[in-house]
């Protein structure tokens, strides 16, 4: 009996020790701080501790509340960036840390919905039931675990299917100035691309374009299999960053379910500009044309989340628009984007001014995976058409003013003779879908016809 009592005492002592250990491992209680300074969009708080990426709730003296995110620190000071309107904020407002808030709810209930950067519905159809929560900044995939791009993707645009064939899981940049038809081209690909789910991120664009894109470009049929994340230009810079991260997180969720996802983000430039606003506001020094180094670190962190998954996971084929300011293709963001994307499609203003849409500059565009997914005959046809187009464009001025004499160069003569058919091939109405096989067949017909 004494042995049994001794054994019970040992078990009781062990349970007390385990309980004490658990108590010592509990996180320290959260301590409220005070808002001490506001410069521009940056808030400074003291008296509390939080990690970068954590959320804080700011309670003013009139009990108004505002969410903010920790974007930096210096000594005992925290730098916060608000996610809403700062109007009415007062000095010495209470700052309540809310750790581990950098996640978002995702699930199939998002299909057909329009949300903002905080995943709050904008369509007035009530709350969204989340299946699970994931990190807003995603979880990196081992690059050696990703599947290679081996399968072409039909985007329904003849010039892209035939000359710039896109692979499933590829990341393409759409480089264009303002007003040359990039939104229309995105809408064509959103309607015609063969994908299970479409995720559209409208980041930092005009608010008018949100409803127009949903109703006129996507339509009810397209919206049924789509999720739209809209953070227009009047939203704070942090919410614009969150909009891009949220759209990518939603795409990752459906990819992990084994689905083929088309991610359309308009635009990558606005994402970079939002990061520039935040970085400059907290004191980071500018490096290249006003862009701090953190901007060029954020871009690959976002883009690398797209692509093929591992094992039985699906794929994310991504189209990112890049706004080239003043049609300058050497803009810092355009230059950085070209280096991290798997290809780029350039829309030229001179082509748009001439009335040819989509205004794709064949010479300035490239798909870096086309040689892996297109057969040799298709590649040869695309190479020949690009060659004829380049010959004609390089001599356009001489041909237009009549300075070129036929017979001077047989190659240019052939390019001139074939140009009407080539231009017809590159032109396409926005409401007409052109399948991949038909695009290749028509490419063959254009080059097989006698000049």
């Amino acid at each position: 009996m004494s042995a049994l009592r001794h054994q019970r005492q040992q078990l009781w002592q062990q349970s007390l020790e385990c309980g004490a250990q658990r108590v010592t491992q509990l996180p320290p209680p959260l301590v409220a701080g005070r808002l001490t300074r506001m410069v521009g969009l940056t808030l400074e708080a003291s008296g509390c501790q939080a990690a970068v990426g954590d959320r804080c709730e700011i309670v003013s003296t009139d009990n108004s509340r505002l969410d903010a995110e920790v974007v930096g620190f210096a000594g005992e000071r925290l730098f916060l960036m608000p996610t809403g309107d700062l109007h009415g904020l007062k000095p010495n407002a209470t700052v309540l840390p809310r750790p581990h808030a950098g996640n978002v709810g995702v699930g199939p209930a998002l299909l057909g919905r329009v949300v903002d950067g905080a995943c709050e519905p904008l369509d007035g159809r009530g709350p969204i039931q989340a299946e699970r929560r994931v990190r807003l900044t995603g979880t990196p995939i081992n690059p050696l675990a990703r599947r290679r791009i081996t399968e072409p993707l039909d985007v329904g645009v003849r010039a892209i299917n035939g000359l710039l064939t896109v692979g499933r899981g590829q990341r393409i940049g759409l480089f264009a100035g303002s007003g040359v038809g990039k939104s229309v081209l995105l809408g064509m690909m959103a309607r015609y691309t063969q994908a299970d789910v479409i995720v559209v991120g409208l980041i930092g664009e005009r608010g008018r374009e949100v409803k127009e894109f949903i109703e006129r470009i996507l339509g009810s049929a397209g919206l049924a299999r789509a999720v739209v994340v809209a953070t227009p230009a009047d939203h704070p810079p942090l919410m614009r960053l969150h909009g891009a991260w949220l759209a990518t997180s939603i795409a990752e969720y459906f990819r992990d379910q084994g689905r083929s996802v088309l991610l359309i983000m308009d635009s990558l430039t606005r994402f970079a500009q939002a990061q520039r606003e935040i970085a400059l506001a907290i004191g980071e020094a500018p490096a290249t044309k006003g862009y701090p180094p953190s901007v060029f670190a954020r871009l690959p962190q976002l883009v690398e989340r797209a692509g093929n998954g591992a094992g039985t996971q699906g794929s994310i084929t991504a189209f990112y628009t890049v706004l080239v300011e003043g049609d300058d293709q050497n803009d810092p963001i355009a230059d950085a984007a070209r280096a991290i994307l798997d290809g780029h499609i350039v829309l030229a203003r001179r082509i748009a001014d001439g009335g040819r849409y989509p205004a794709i500059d064949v010479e300035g565009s490239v798909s870096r995976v086309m040689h892996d997914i297109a057969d040799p005959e298709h590649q040869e046809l695309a190479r020949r058409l690009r060659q004829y187009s380049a010959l004609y464009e390089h001599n356009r001025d001489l041909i237009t003013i009549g300075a070129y004499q036929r017979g001077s160069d047989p190659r240019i003569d052939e390019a001139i003779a074939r140009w009407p058919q080539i231009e017809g091939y590159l032109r396409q109405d926005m409401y007409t879908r052109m399948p991949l096989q038909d695009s290749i067949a028509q490419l063959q017909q254009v080059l097989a016809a006698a000049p």
Side-chain angles (χ1 to χ4, degrees):
M1 194 70 179
S2 59
L4 181 60
R5 186 181 298 109
H6 179 68
Q7 185 178 8
R8 287 178 177 175
Q9 289 177 348
Q10 285 183 329
L11 291 175
W12 176 252
Q13 184 66 28
Q14 290 176 0
S15 65
L16 289 178
E17 291 175 357
C18 292
Q21 184 177 5
R22 285 195 297 269
V23 169
T24 58
Q25 291 177 351
L26 288 175
L30 299 179
V31 179
R34 292 290 176 182
L35 193 64
T36 59
R37 189 183 181 195
M38 173 180 170
V39 179
L41 293 178
T42 309
L43 308 177
E44 289 187 16
S46 61
C48 58
Q49 292 186 352
V52 173
D54 283 351
R55 293 289 187 90
C56 293
E57 187 176 29
I58 303 174
V59 184
S60 192
T61 53
D62 59 355
N63 208 32
S64 61
R65 296 174 181 266
L66 173 70
D67 279 342
E69 183 175 308
V70 181
V71 294
F73 58 85
E76 298 298 324
R77 296 176 298 157
L78 293 180
F79 297 142
L80 308 175
M81 189 64 63
T83 61
D85 188 9
L86 292 171
H87 187 73
L89 196 62
K90 295 182 179 180
N92 295 319
T94 304
V95 179
L96 301 174
R98 291 165 47 198
H100 312 298
N103 53 57
V104 62
V106 294
L110 284 166
L111 287 174
R113 302 301 300 270
V114 183
V115 298
D116 63 8
C119 208
E120 295 295 331
L122 296 174
D123 50 13
R125 294 169 50 191
I128 300 173
Q129 298 296 325
E131 182 180 81
R132 62 189 179 94
R133 302 192 70 83
V134 298
R135 287 181 56 190
L136 191 61
T137 54
T139 302
I141 297 179
N142 186 333
L144 297 181
R146 287 183 183 267
R147 300 190 312 277
R148 292 181 58 239
I149 300 174
T150 57
E151 181 184 355
L153 179 69
D154 184 1
V155 299
V157 180
R158 182 167 47 211
I160 298 177
N161 281 340
L163 305 176
L164 304 163
T165 310
V166 175
R168 195 176 296 275
Q170 188 175 357
R171 298 161 301 187
I172 290 282
L174 197 60
F175 292 70
S178 57
V180 295
K182 65 180 183 300
S183 297
V184 175
L185 181 57
L186 283 179
M188 292 173 65
M189 291 187 288
R191 289 195 304 270
Y192 304 144
T193 298
Q194 294 180 344
D196 300 326
V197 177
I198 301 170
V199 181
V200 181
L202 301 177
I203 312 301
E205 297 299 319
R206 293 181 292 272
R208 173 188 62 82
E209 293 181 340
V210 176
K211 189 172 184 179
E212 180 179 341
F213 189 93
I214 294 170
E215 295 183 354
R216 187 174 68 88
I217 297 179
L218 266 184
S220 57
L223 183 60
R225 60 178 181 132
V227 183
V228 179
V229 180
T231 53
D234 59 341
H235 284 212
L238 188 62
M239 288 301 291
R240 282 177 262 151
L241 286 185
H242 283 188
W245 290 336
L246 174 61
T248 308
S249 296
I250 295 172
E252 287 175 326
Y253 166 77
F254 287 107
R255 179 196 62 192
D256 294 344
Q257 305 300 312
R259 301 199 187 185
S260 172
V261 183
L262 175 66
L263 172 62
I264 294 176
M265 191 167 296
D266 186 14
S267 68
L268 194 64
T269 304
R270 304 303 186 196
F271 171 83
Q273 290 174 348
Q275 174 61 28
R276 177 176 64 179
E277 292 179 40
I278 294 173
L280 293 177
I282 63 176
E284 187 177 355
T288 306
K289 291 189 177 180
Y291 287 97
S294 63
V295 173
F296 303 100
R298 289 286 193 191
L299 288 175
Q301 290 174 0
L302 177 70
V303 171
E304 283 295 326
R305 294 170 62 183
N308 283 333
T312 59
Q313 293 178 345
S315 63
I316 301 176
T317 306
F319 287 91
Y320 300 94
T321 64
V322 180
L323 181 63
V324 287
E325 298 180 0
D327 295 330
D328 180 14
Q329 295 295 330
N330 294 320
D331 176 83
I333 300 304
D335 201 39
R338 272 194 299 269
I340 59 179
L341 293 170
D342 302 324
H344 52 274
I345 300 172
V346 177
L347 302 184
R349 188 173 302 278
R350 57 177 176 78
I351 297 177
D353 291 343
R356 192 185 86 203
Y357 290 95
I360 297 176
D361 182 2
V362 176
E363 302 169 57
S365 306
V366 65
S367 173
R368 294 181 179 176
V369 304
M370 184 175 176
H371 61 279
D372 291 329
I373 58 177
D375 57 66
E377 181 182 0
H378 179 193
Q379 294 183 48
E380 177 62 20
L381 291 172
R383 186 195 64 80
R384 287 180 57 196
L385 190 142
R386 293 169 69 98
Q387 185 179 43
Y388 289 137
S389 175
L391 283 170
Y392 186 88
E393 292 291 350
H394 290 171
N395 296 276
R396 175 185 287 273
D397 292 341
L398 295 176
I399 297 169
T400 303
I401 65 176
Y404 176 77
Q405 298 295 324
R406 288 184 179 271
S408 301
D409 189 331
R411 298 178 306 161
I412 299 178
D413 292 342
E414 188 174 2
I416 295 173
R418 292 186 182 277
W419 182 249
Q421 290 79 20
I422 293 175
E423 193 172 34
Y425 181 83
L426 299 176
R427 181 183 288 110
Q428 182 175 337
D429 183 78
M430 65 177 294
Y431 298 108
T432 302
R433 180 180 184 274
M434 188 56 59
L436 176 62
Q437 294 304 320
D438 292 349
S439 301
I440 299 173
Q442 291 185 18
L443 176 61
Q444 190 172 19
Q445 291 173 8
V446 167
L447 296 176

